[in-house]
Structures are given as C-alpha cells and as structure tokens.
Amino acid sequence: MDAFSSKSLALQAQKQLLGKVASRAAAAAFLDEASSAVLDELYRATKEFTRSRAEARRLARGLVKVALKVALLLRGGVLGADGLAALGRLRQRARRLALTALTFQQVAFSFDRRVLAAGLLECRDLLLQAAGPHLTAKSRGRIGHVFGRLADGDFLAALYGPAEPYRSHLGRLCDGLSRMLDDGSI
C-alpha cells in the first residue's frame, strides 16, 4: 500500500519553492533588519576577500536557503524531540559564538581564528544533526559550503586584521550581531 501524506507533500513543495526564490530580496521579506544587515555585510566582506561576486552571492544565497528551510521544518513540526534539542544547542552555541566574535573585535590582541573556526564548525554539525535527515544531499552540501567558507582561517584572519576594508566590514558585522543579541534573535 502506498503511503501518502499531504502534509509531507506540501512541505516538500514549500522547500522546493523556497529553493527557487531564495535571494537577497526574498530574504529581506523573511529576515529582520539586523539579520539582513549582517547578511549584507557578510556578502560585502566575502566579495572583498574572494574577489568574486558569484562566490559572495552563493554564500549569501546559501545562508538564506538554509535559514528558510530550517524555519519551514520548524513550522511544519517535522524535526522531533532530538532535532529540537539539537537546534536548542545550536542556538546556545551561536549566541556564545557571537559574544566571542564581539569580544575579539573589542579587545585588542585577543583574536584566535581557531576558536571562531571551531565554533562555526560545531554550529554546522549541530545544524546537520538537527535538520540533516530532512534535507536533500544538495542542501546538506550547501550547509557544508557555507560554514566551511565562514570558518576559513584566512578569511577570519583578514576580517579581524588591521587592513581597512575588512576593519569596516567587521565593525558593521559586530554592530549587527550586537543588535541581534539585544533583540534575542540569536
């Protein structure tokens, strides 16, 4: 007997639709102002570092798609107790990571790229643990790409370095992170 679930079918259709329309403009409709500002600044910093507009767009688009798909899974009630627990741990780790990033920016000579990279990779693992079984291989690969790019030691070193274009990007990123922490969105 063929098992049919309209809820499962609707969720799959929504995920596919979000995959098609995910862009910075679509993200603005779903993200708050602080999150959108952080995403835009991350796009600019990545574009500066990679010297590739396409790579920066790929990173921003990947972040948006992942966030929207996880939100869709949450709203659909698909994750279960283990997935929700992993998302709770992810939220706590992301909050600690944001506080660490702010501290590294505010306190001179405190930056350690290994700490940020390890925290980002831990967030990747928690996200894959929570939502991975409900995502396609392509979406899991996208998560790996996004977090791999963000955890790149050379990128983090450039971002926290003394060079001016990155210093400005870091200041604006930290301002946005601070607002997100204040709002409780992280």
Side-chain angles (χ1 to χ4, degrees):
M1 187 162 172
D2 196 16
F4 176 78
S5 169
S6 61
K7 183 178 179 181
S8 174
L9 184 64
L11 184 65
Q12 183 181 7
Q14 287 175 346
K15 285 179 8 185
Q16 287 179 350
L17 180 63
L18 285 176
K20 301 285 187 221
V21 300
S23 67
R24 286 177 46 203
F30 294 105
L31 299 174
D32 63 354
E33 185 178 325
S35 301
S36 183
V38 167
L39 183 65
D40 287 345
E41 202 55 46
L42 199 54
Y43 168 81
R44 287 191 278 276
T46 304
K47 183 179 170 187
E48 181 76 33
F49 180 74
T50 62
R51 304 262 190 243
S52 170
R53 181 176 177 223
E55 178 60 27
R57 287 178 58 101
R58 184 174 173 213
L59 177 77
R61 188 177 172 122
L63 274 169
V64 169
K65 283 184 175 187
V66 167
L68 293 178
K69 286 183 181 183
V70 169
L72 188 63
L73 290 172
L74 271 172
R75 191 182 74 157
V78 177
L79 293 178
D82 290 340
L84 292 175
L87 277 183
R89 289 191 308 275
L90 172 64
R91 183 179 172 99
Q92 290 173 343
R93 184 62 179 123
R95 185 171 178 77
R96 281 187 311 205
L97 191 59
L99 290 169
T100 302
L102 289 173
T103 301
F104 285 165
Q105 191 250 350
Q106 295 167 349
V107 179
F109 306 110
S110 64
F111 170 68
D112 185 354
R113 74 172 84 186
R114 292 172 297 181
V115 170
L116 285 181
L120 285 163
L121 294 177
E122 184 182 345
C123 287
R124 176 202 62 197
D125 294 341
L126 287 169
L127 183 57
L128 286 172
Q129 181 183 350
H134 305 286
L135 297 174
T136 63
K138 186 174 181 179
S139 292
R140 289 190 299 273
R142 184 177 293 119
I143 290 171
H145 174 263
V146 165
F147 281 94
R149 169 62 64 198
L150 294 177
D152 178 22
D154 293 335
F155 174 66
L156 293 172
L159 194 59
Y160 279 89
E164 179 41 45
Y166 298 108
R167 210 66 179 140
S168 298
H169 294 309
L170 180 63
R172 290 188 291 270
L173 274 170
C174 287
D175 288 344
L177 285 175
S178 182
R179 280 187 286 157
M180 290 173 71
L181 285 167
D182 291 342
D183 295 347
S185 56
I186 292 183

